[in-house]
Amino acid sequence: MCGIVGYVGGREAANVIISGLHRLEYRGYDSAGLAVIHPDGVLDVFKCKGKVDDLERFLQGKNAGGTIGIGHTRWATHGEPSDANAHPHLSRSGDLALIHNGIIENYRVLRDALRTQGFTFRSSTDSEVLVNLIEYVRDEHRCSLEEAVREALSQVVGAYAIAVIERGDTSRIIAARKSSPMAIGVGDGEYFLSSDAASIIGFTQDFVYLNDGEIAVIERGKPLHIMTLDGAESPVAIQKLRLSISQLEKGGFDHFMLKEIHEQPETLEDCIRGRVIPGTREVILSGVLDNKERFLAARRIIFVACGTSWHASLIGEHLIESMCRIPVEVEYASEFRYRDPVIYPDDIVIAVSQSGETADTLAAVGMARKAGAFVYGICNVVGSSIPRATHSGTYIHVGPEIGVASTKAFTGQVTVMAMMALLIGRLKGTIDEGYYHRVAQAILELPATIREALKTAPEVASLARMFTYAHNFIYLGRGYNYPTALEGALKLKEISYIHAEGLPAAEMKHGPIALIDAEMPTVAIATPDSTYEKTLSNIEEIKARGGKIIAVVCKGDDLVRRSADYCIEVPSTVECLMPVVSIVPLQFLSYYIATYKGRNVDQPRNLAKSVTVE
Ligand code: M6R
């Protein structure tokens, strides 16, 4: 988490940094700061607790002039949000300023060692230890800043993306990364630095992505110089990032989350384009086709993911098992990586991640590769760490997702999984042609189906107002829609802070039904599928105990209507794609409840968009 930005060139660094930090605020928003070197070589730091807007206010009337600087927006790991713990951190002498994203695991040992050398610390962060370690090495070895950074990092255990500047040096930034993202934007006589290339797309479209264990010397007017921690030269490969600024703005909506819910018809069009061919209904996914033999020979598929991506993976399990007859397991990446799991060389491990930066998922990828499995990625952010660490993969191509609550990424992930399952099932001969074409056609129609589902917004908004009082919610679903229930509950929890539990409907009888009373609303997904009748019985059981029921049903349903208190009608599609449709009113429900409760929907408390720490 945390977002870092840097600039060296001919512009006012503070302006570039503030603009980048605003776009990076999704990564953390408990404090912000920047450091600049004035033209006379003086190094100044400005930082405060709060958001980037607070930092801007703090800067008013102060001299932050200079054409080189670094900035940071923080999500606290070590040390509470405070002015002192905000980045940049200065070294003891005030010669060096550093920003850091990640965790230095051995910071206590390093801090104790530095204390014996007379160092004192103003903050409780691991990052301040690192900047002092760099200064200590620089002074002990009388070496250059890049050499000091390299030597200091060789003593560090943990994850980092860092940028350091040095008093008196108005032209160079030293940056390095291990397990935390870092992109260098290349402009005309200027360089930009960011945790997320999209944050500086307004300045350049040319990027160099640092690899793990690399250090960059970024110097105004000179070619980029990248080397490994061992001192070997690294090639500098510039990649174009095709994004438009409008994709990073709210486009007239009150919140990014609302915009992202509404843009799902278009994002699904982008996701499907060129992959399911209208007319022939052929599915073409180069990541699968180029590795056809691997998929045909797979003994097992293991999904590794976190949060919403884990929920999408549970749907992937249904899709692949039913269409491809390959056994599937779905693992929380954080559990998988610490469990010494059995991984066979003929397993396929699929890492699912919107950001492509989730630390646990990235670590699971590393582990699976080590064990010899073929590792496939389903990610959104192009050029992020997971796609670069996997053997192959498919991007969901839904564009930047900025709201902390994931919405369009979920529908994109499930759509990609459906395309993969169809393609593999056809290659294996485990589905018949009729079914293949029916599902392929339904995928082509998904954008229109979602457009229809979006029309539920006003009705869901008024239901949300009625249920804003609730302190707890239960979400029920079965089969394909059990993960939808989990996802609906997660959406509500994370942005409204209402406790919500997603359950397979039949599990109610095994305990949770004891929770039912007039104060406990249940959201039941009861679309017509192979378990429809059974879900109906589960709804009856709740009704009989005085529970209030909001049901998501397909248009024309009148059976559920007899028992449920409120019904939200969505258009129908094939059973395996129903989650993509039935999640839409649940996204709205959480959004409207949260806004009626006055929550900060795009920046909910304690959360950050990318979880790049364990
Ligand atoms: O970027 P990822 O998909 O790897 O992120 C995984 C989770 O952190 C993420 O889905 C999180 O649960 C969202 N805030 C849910 O809305």
Side-chain angles (χ1 to χ4, degrees):
M1 355 263 269
C2 302
I4 69 182
V5 195
Y7 177 75
V8 57
R11 310 177 198 232
E12 279 300 313
N15 295 343
V16 176
I17 290 167
I18 290 287
S19 139
L21 289 182
H22 272 299
R23 295 207 191 283
L24 282 181
E25 227 173 358
Y26 72 86
R27 301 179 65 90
Y29 32 83
D30 61 44
S31 51
L34 60 84
V36 291
I37 301 179
H38 301 299
D40 61 1
V42 171
L43 170 57
D44 247 342
V45 169
F46 307 88
K47 57 182 186 172
C48 59
K49 182 179 164 181
K51 304 202 177 210
V52 180
D53 281 343
D54 298 303
L55 176 64
E56 278 194 278
R57 275 188 287 277
F58 181 71
L59 282 169
Q60 271 164 21
K62 300 193 171 74
N63 173 18
T67 52
I68 175 170
I70 53 178
H72 189 270
T73 178
R74 180 168 187 251
W75 186 88
T77 55
H78 293 73
E80 58 177 18
S82 67
D83 293 352
N85 287 336
H87 295 220
H89 289 286
L90 279 173
S91 61
R92 174 171 65 174
S93 67
D95 269 3
L96 308 181
L98 167 141
I99 48 174
H100 169 219
N101 168 27
I103 291 181
I104 308 299
E105 287 168 17
N106 59 338
Y107 83 101
R108 285 191 188 83
V109 179
L110 297 171
R111 187 185 56 198
D112 294 347
L114 287 168
R115 276 188 176 136
T116 64
Q117 302 299 321
F119 281 80
T120 53
F121 299 90
R122 307 172 186 99
S123 77
S124 32
T125 65
D126 50 346
S127 315
E128 193 188 3
V129 174
L130 182 54
V131 71
N132 279 303
L133 178 63
I134 295 169
E135 178 164 295
Y136 173 73
V137 172
R138 183 198 66 172
D139 295 347
E140 277 295 294
H141 295 220
R142 295 176 192 284
C143 61
S144 66
L145 181 58
E146 63 263 34
E147 282 161 8
V149 169
R150 207 169 61 219
E151 168 57 28
L153 290 178
S154 70
Q155 299 178 34
V156 158
V157 178
Y160 50 78
I162 60 163
V164 197
I165 52 176
E166 186 173 25
R167 174 160 57 191
D169 186 342
T170 54
S171 57
R172 286 187 327 150
I173 303 174
I174 309 298
R177 74 155 274 185
K178 185 180 159 219
S179 305
S180 292
M182 173 84 85
I184 301 167
V186 182
D188 189 7
E190 57 186 353
Y191 290 110
F192 306 81
L193 194 65
S194 180
S195 309
D196 175 356
S199 74
I200 43 179
I201 199 75
F203 299 106
T204 181
Q205 295 203 317
D206 293 331
F207 289 93
V208 174
Y209 295 92
L210 275 195
N211 290 312
D212 265 359
E214 283 182 341
I215 297 186
V217 180
I218 303 162
E219 186 164 358
R220 181 193 289 108
K222 295 242 175 97
L224 260 187
H225 180 206
I226 302 180
M227 62 203 137
T228 65
L229 275 181
D230 313 323
E233 293 292 317
S234 289
V236 176
I238 297 183
Q239 297 177 34
K240 272 246 175 287
L241 180 65
R242 303 202 186 277
L243 260 188
S244 70
I245 284 281
S246 65
Q247 288 177 280
L248 305 172
E249 307 202 317
K250 288 190 201 146
F253 288 93
D254 288 343
H255 296 97
F256 280 109
M257 181 185 179
L258 191 60
K259 176 195 174 209
E260 286 159 6
I261 296 173
H262 277 280
E263 69 189 7
Q264 288 177 106
E266 291 75 39
T267 58
L268 287 180
E269 261 158 24
D270 292 343
C271 174
I272 296 161
R273 187 172 304 116
R275 291 165 166 180
V276 184
I277 311 302
T280 61
R281 291 173 287 182
E282 292 297 306
V283 178
I284 301 170
L285 287 176
S286 54
V288 173
L289 291 169
D290 293 350
N291 299 287
K292 187 171 142 187
E293 303 311 326
R294 283 278 192 172
F295 280 95
L296 290 178
R299 170 199 290 234
R300 181 175 60 157
I301 287 179
I302 306 172
F303 281 98
V304 289
C306 304
T308 290
S309 300
W310 186 79
H311 296 153
S313 303
L314 290 175
I315 299 168
E317 177 180 30
H318 279 259
L319 287 162
I320 288 177
E321 288 199 337
S322 70
M323 293 194 213
C324 318
R325 308 311 297 156
I326 302 172
V328 176
E329 286 171 27
V330 182
E331 300 267 1
Y332 282 119
S334 53
E335 291 296 315
F336 180 77
R337 62 179 289 201
Y338 288 114
R339 213 193 53 229
D340 191 17
V342 176
I343 306 173
Y344 301 108
D346 48 0
D347 279 340
I348 295 182
V349 173
I350 303 184
V352 186
S353 172
Q354 186 285 130
S355 61
E357 299 294 350
T358 298
D360 286 319
T361 311
L362 185 58
V365 165
M367 218 172 106
R369 278 192 78 125
K370 228 181 192 161
F374 179 70
V375 186
Y376 200 84
I378 299 180
C379 296
N380 187 34
V381 178
V382 176
S384 54
S385 300
I386 293 173
R388 290 189 300 127
T390 48
H391 293 107
S392 182
T394 302
Y395 281 114
I396 60 173
H397 284 317
V398 298
E401 190 182 66
I402 294 167
V404 165
S406 192
T407 51
K408 61 179 180 171
F410 175 79
T411 49
Q413 288 164 342
V414 176
T415 304
V416 162
M417 289 168 190
M419 293 190 282
M420 286 179 71
L422 261 191
L423 181 55
I424 302 165
R426 192 187 210 191
L427 293 171
K428 285 194 73 173
T430 42
I431 46 173
D432 66 49
E433 284 294 288
Y435 182 76
Y436 172 89
H437 284 119
R438 239 186 354 270
V439 177
Q441 183 60 33
I443 293 176
L444 285 168
E445 287 166 8
L446 260 183
T449 315
I450 299 301
R451 218 162 263 130
E452 200 55 34
L454 290 174
K455 294 185 183 157
T456 56
E459 183 192 351
V460 178
S462 51
L463 266 178
R465 197 172 283 288
M466 292 164 61
F467 283 92
T468 305
Y469 74 88
H471 295 294
N472 298 285
F473 265 87
I474 284 178
Y475 283 68
L476 298 181
R478 294 184 76 139
Y480 278 105
N481 272 323
Y482 161 50
T484 320
L486 293 175
E487 176 59 8
L490 175 62
K491 291 289 84 93
L492 187 68
K493 274 186 272 208
E494 67 180 329
I495 60 168
S496 70
Y497 321 148
I498 293 174
H499 171 249
E501 217 177 318
L503 292 163
E507 275 301 298
M508 284 300 277
K509 291 193 215 40
H510 299 283
I513 201 161
L515 294 166
I516 296 298
D517 62 16
E519 301 298 306
M520 170 70 89
T522 297
V523 178
I525 305 151
T527 52
D529 55 24
S530 37
T531 53
Y532 175 73
E533 300 290 339
K534 299 196 186 312
T535 308
L536 207 56
S537 311
N538 301 137
I539 289 176
E540 288 294 348
E541 288 153 13
I542 295 166
K543 181 86 188 153
R545 285 155 184 87
K548 285 257 175 302
I549 295 156
I550 303 168
V552 176
V553 297
C554 277
K555 282 210 161 81
D557 187 298
D558 58 359
L559 278 180
V560 178
R561 195 169 288 283
R562 290 182 207 158
S563 318
D565 297 276
Y566 307 95
C567 280
I568 307 165
E569 285 193 345
V570 292
S572 64
T573 180
V574 290
E575 178 173 355
C576 67
L577 293 177
M578 217 45 234
V580 179
V581 183
S582 48
I583 193 60
V584 172
L586 305 188
Q587 294 170 341
F588 280 134
L589 187 66
S590 64
Y591 173 80
Y592 285 111
I593 291 183
T595 49
Y596 294 147
K597 288 181 88 70
R599 306 300 191 214
N600 186 342
V601 168
D602 283 334
Q603 296 179 343
R605 70 183 180 202
N606 306 338
L607 290 175
K609 182 73 179 160
S610 304
V611 184
T612 56
V613 294
E614 293 177 31

